[in-house]
Amino acid sequence: MKVRTRIAPSPTGAPHIGTAYIALFNYAFAKHHGGQFILRIEDTDQVRSSRESEQAIFDALQWVGLRWDEGPDKGGPHGPYRQSERTAIYQEHSRKLVANGAAYPCFCTAERLATLRREQAAVKDGIQGYDGRCAALSAEETSRRIQAGEAHVIRLRVPPEGECVLQDGLRGEVRIPWNKVDHQVLLKADGFPTYHLANVVDDHLMEITHVMRGEEWISSLPKHVLLYKAFGWTPPEFFHLPLLRNPDKSKLSKRKNPVSILYYRRAGILPEALINYLGLLAYSFEDGREHFTLDDLAATFDIKRISLGGPIFDIQKLQAFNGRHLRAMPSDELFNRFKDWGLNEQAWLKILPLAQPRLNQLSDLVPLAAYLFADRPAYDPPALLAGGIEGERLVQLLRIAQWEIEKTAGWTLDAIKQIFGQIAEKENLKLKQLLPPFFVAIAGAPVSLPVFDSMLILGRDMTLRRMQYALEALDAQGFALKKDKLKEFEKTYRARYVGGE
RNA sequence: GCCCCCUUCGUCUAUCGGUCAGGACGCCAGGUUCUCAUCCUGGUAAGGUGGGUUCGACUCCCGCAGGGGGCGCCA
């Protein structure tokens, strides 16, 4: 049997470091067994998915050197590799499930479900999940309502009792009572599949033999094996890998850590160092070596050597490994790395028009532009407040800027101008009043090259990171929004910015 | 609240019942270096807890505790 593994990211937001981490093990396993590694884009969430983000995933995975054998950009015998282009396949499979009784149409509205959830939450010790109302509908009523054009989803029929016995390649047997498994929606009212249906159908059709994915999926494994069974398919082997964590041990999140692969690239992390570090998390070589390449990992990979405690993503150690790689390089190679990284003619040609009006001597240029090549610009935290905006207010403004920056479709000068123009307007500030702290956050000083152009040059991920650095600097001075206040504020923000644009 | 998973230095990990519990990052100290960094040497620091099983448990089993994940027409 030919080994086939896959990485199946969702193109929402920045390409996640966790994607590279899971992809790494899938890649290593496939290559170790002379098999194939497939990239599939899971863009069934029409609202959150974007082509821009998909492209960023391609770039990020390519950058770290995880080459896929089949994927949306290069095709293959089992395409299309983008789930949004496979809806007919899912619908057809969904029909099969309804026909053989493994699934059923459900007409319950979002409101009823919300009420149901609220009621269930109120009952202590109560059961959770769909109550199965539509599962009991007669065939006549069901078809009559469908004929009438009533909106409906397709739900998975789950055994009412008993236990689902699962096999996880790392943990062995896992048992989950069926009555704890929800009647999962498989096909949404818009005709798009949910993760569960699309994932199972695709993994089978794409002949995936080994599924290595995040541990967060283990509790939906019963649904997945049930689906394989309902289709009459042999399930692949499953391996649930431990999740990357923040220093506080929660699941790695962008609120607490930079998670964009592109940020690390911009910050000057070498792809081979990132791979080396990621491979060190949850995995160890039998011979104890700690410095290795992707090829080394693939050559010796043994999935049984994955350890199960969720590793904390430690940026400091990543930097230490990066430094070792960097220092070991011959100068000429290092020089080439700098050029690839962005210290090149192209970059200077972008910077020069901004710097030229400010030059008196040639020697002025590099100091003026230094912050564009830094990770964290150096400044005294109080400098952020010099513009006159009070600390807590500034925290709010930085947050708003982050949310708006994440939300915006393209990263262009116009988009950036619009973001800050809008913030100034909605917050009742002149741009001139709003911007000083942003100059400091981005450039490290209240005067610098134009800040919007700087953001454009730095890129979205690095811009976001500098907002985060500024928030940290403010936090150190006692200005921060605590968890609940932040949530509250985010609601206010949504109402003002997202609702009424 | 319910279900599932996990548990060795601060952090990443090694250990296939018998080890002075090893390595790496961090930190500390010393050496090299015009300074700093690098590099080298040394040090610091760990088996959550209570029961079993066993001649012997970090290692196997059970309870508890702690941590994490899941409980969406998100993935």
Side-chain angles (χ1 to χ4, degrees):
Chain A
M1 182 182 58
K2 191 90 171 173
V3 167
R4 288 169 60 86
T5 65
R6 48 69 170 178
I7 182 73
S10 236
T12 56
H16 202 281
I17 202 86
T19 301
Y21 161 77
I22 301 286
L24 174 61
F25 295 120
N26 276 279
Y27 174 92
F29 184 83
K31 294 304 151 189
H32 181 73
H33 291 98
Q36 279 134 8
F37 171 61
I38 284 91
L39 171 62
R40 181 172 72 225
I41 295 293
E42 307 220 327
D43 55 349
T44 56
D45 184 341
Q46 287 294 283
V47 181
R48 296 196 306 148
S49 298
S50 77
R51 277 303 166 99
E52 188 194 357
S53 166
E54 177 187 295
Q55 186 58 47
I57 290 169
F58 296 163
D59 292 347
L61 290 179
Q62 239 147 36
W63 177 65
V64 291
L66 295 168
R67 305 262 195 82
W68 50 99
D69 299 294
E70 298 166 27
D73 56 330
K74 61 186 303 181
H78 304 277
Y81 293 90
R82 202 177 270 122
Q83 289 187 329
S84 59
E85 294 166 11
R86 300 171 65 82
T87 46
I89 298 171
Y90 308 125
Q91 284 165 3
E92 184 197 326
H93 282 84
S94 159
R95 272 194 293 276
K96 280 187 197 164
L97 292 179
V98 174
N100 72 16
Y104 61 90
C106 168
F107 303 92
C108 293
T109 60
E111 295 76 64
R112 170 165 131 76
L113 296 176
T115 312
L116 184 67
R117 261 193 289 275
R118 232 174 298 122
E119 285 169 2
Q120 287 174 340
V123 180
K124 208 178 108 167
D125 231 46
I127 41 157
Q128 299 274 304
Y130 185 60
D131 59 0
R133 175 192 278 197
C134 293
L137 257 34
S138 69
E140 294 73 37
E141 182 176 356
T142 298
S143 63
R144 180 177 53 74
R145 289 171 75 171
I146 290 176
Q147 294 295 317
E150 198 171 327
H152 63 279
V153 302
I154 303 298
R155 278 184 190 275
L156 178 65
R157 200 184 291 277
V158 177
E161 53 188 23
E163 213 177 31
C164 180
V165 182
L166 307 154
Q167 279 307 127
D168 176 271
L170 300 174
R171 281 159 257 261
E173 204 172 272
V174 176
R175 294 162 173 273
I176 296 175
W178 279 119
N179 65 10
K180 302 298 177 201
V181 179
D182 198 14
H183 287 208
Q184 185 63 48
V185 171
L186 300 174
L187 206 64
K188 309 178 212 175
D190 64 5
F192 275 82
T194 57
Y195 169 87
H196 308 277
L197 207 220
N199 193 265
V200 165
V201 168
D202 286 348
D203 281 345
H204 178 258
L205 261 24
M206 295 181 181
E207 296 174 15
I208 301 304
T209 56
H210 301 261
V211 170
M212 278 153 240
R213 72 221 302 194
E215 193 180 1
E216 67 216 276
W217 293 110
I218 205 163
S219 49
S220 28
L221 187 53
K223 297 165 190 173
H224 303 159
V225 301
L226 193 58
L227 280 169
Y228 280 99
K229 211 173 142 198
F231 284 122
W233 298 337
T234 308
E237 285 186 49
F238 291 96
F239 302 84
H240 292 88
L241 307 175
L243 261 19
L244 258 25
R245 316 266 193 107
N246 296 309
D248 69 0
K249 299 193 176 193
S250 56
K251 180 165 121 175
L252 189 66
S253 68
K254 67 179 174 191
R255 291 285 166 247
K256 297 172 183 172
N257 258 307
V259 296
S260 165
I261 299 169
L262 268 17
Y263 158 73
Y264 288 97
R265 176 166 76 178
R266 184 80 212 191
I269 297 295
L270 303 172
E272 63 268 41
L274 184 59
I275 286 295
N276 190 164
Y277 176 65
L278 251 20
L280 227 43
L281 299 178
Y283 188 75
S284 61
F285 277 69
E286 194 173 9
D287 62 13
R289 91 184 94 151
E290 294 183 332
H291 295 276
F292 52 83
T293 65
L294 182 55
D295 288 343
D296 295 338
L297 186 69
T300 59
F301 191 68
D302 173 8
I303 195 164
K304 300 282 183 195
R305 293 193 62 83
I306 297 264
S307 60
L308 295 176
I312 290 170
F313 188 79
D314 179 0
I315 295 174
Q316 204 174 24
K317 188 162 180 178
L318 168 62
Q319 286 165 338
F321 270 68
N322 199 58
R324 184 183 277 267
H325 278 90
L326 224 40
R327 291 189 297 267
M329 238 176 244
S331 307
D332 54 345
E333 192 189 336
L334 182 58
F335 185 67
N336 284 329
R337 291 306 190 99
F338 272 113
K339 286 196 286 193
D340 293 345
W341 173 61
L343 188 53
N344 54 31
E345 188 172 328
Q346 212 190 340
W348 285 114
L349 287 174
K350 274 189 224 159
I351 296 166
L352 235 35
L354 308 174
Q356 201 170 358
R358 297 167 172 81
L359 296 179
N360 290 316
Q361 298 173 224
L362 296 176
S363 50
D364 291 337
L365 176 65
V366 169
L368 225 41
Y371 70 92
L372 292 170
F373 297 97
D375 175 6
R376 176 174 200 155
Y379 55 84
D380 275 338
L384 289 163
L385 302 168
I389 296 175
E390 181 273 331
E392 271 188 38
R393 178 79 177 129
L394 184 52
V395 170
Q396 295 182 339
L397 292 171
L398 283 162
R399 289 284 183 188
I400 293 172
Q402 285 184 322
W403 291 323
E404 288 292 296
I405 288 169
E406 278 166 14
K407 199 178 72 180
T408 193
W411 191 243
T412 63
L413 195 58
D414 282 344
I416 298 167
K417 277 184 188 163
Q418 209 195 321
I419 288 169
F420 285 90
Q422 190 189 214
I423 294 174
E425 191 191 314
K426 297 218 181 202
E427 302 302 321
N428 233 330
L429 287 164
K430 290 227 158 72
L431 211 47
K432 206 177 170 123
Q433 299 172 293
L434 172 67
L435 257 18
F438 287 91
F439 270 88
V440 175
I442 291 294
V447 287
S448 77
L449 305 182
V451 74
F452 296 156
D453 294 272
S454 300
M455 290 178 181
L456 184 66
I457 290 170
L458 288 171
R460 188 201 303 251
D461 297 297
M462 181 55 88
T463 300
L464 247 13
R465 180 64 176 144
R466 296 208 180 171
M467 311 276 103
Q468 197 62 35
Y469 280 136
L471 284 166
E472 284 168 20
L474 288 167
D475 194 2
Q477 293 175 86
F479 301 112
L481 282 168
K482 295 283 168 251
K483 216 172 168 185
D484 44 341
K485 276 207 164 178
L486 179 62
K487 269 195 177 159
E488 201 179 303
F489 180 65
E490 191 168 356
K491 267 189 196 164
T492 316
Y493 155 77
R494 278 191 198 289
R496 277 171 56 211
Y497 284 78
V498 185
E501 253 184 277

